[in-house]
Amino acid sequence: MAGMPPATGSQRITWAEVPAEVRAAIEKLLGSKVAGAASQPGGFSEGVAARLRLADGGRAFVKATSSTGCSPPRPGWRGR
């Protein structure tokens, strides 16, 4: 598509590569430790995209981008 950035998802960082303090903050927000993570390939950012299985049996999807060198989030985009 014209005007679309090149796909970089094959270069995504994995959940294990996310800084420990960020993983801890996400676990606190989710209210449970992460028991397993499956990284998701594809997309247009190099940030993590992972399906998480939580210790309490819950599941979550986490996607992150860099705080530098990226365009600001679109209105209405935030954690749900």
Side-chain angles (χ1 to χ4, degrees):
M1 280 188 149
M4 293 293 290
T8 60
S10 63
Q11 301 170 8
R12 287 191 187 280
I13 64 169
T14 66
W15 174 252
E17 294 172 305
V18 173
E21 63 273 13
V22 175
R23 291 192 318 264
I26 291 170
E27 289 176 331
K28 182 176 180 180
L29 180 68
L30 293 173
S32 182
K33 296 282 187 188
V34 172
S39 293
Q40 304 301 292
F44 294 97
S45 72
E46 296 176 358
V48 68
R51 290 180 294 132
L52 305 179
R53 186 173 39 85
L54 307 178
D56 68 2
R59 295 174 185 259
F61 177 76
V62 174
K63 182 172 173 87
T65 61
S66 170
S67 62
T68 60
C70 64
S71 59
R74 293 181 182 192
W77 282 22
R78 55 182 294 221
R80 297 177 195 178

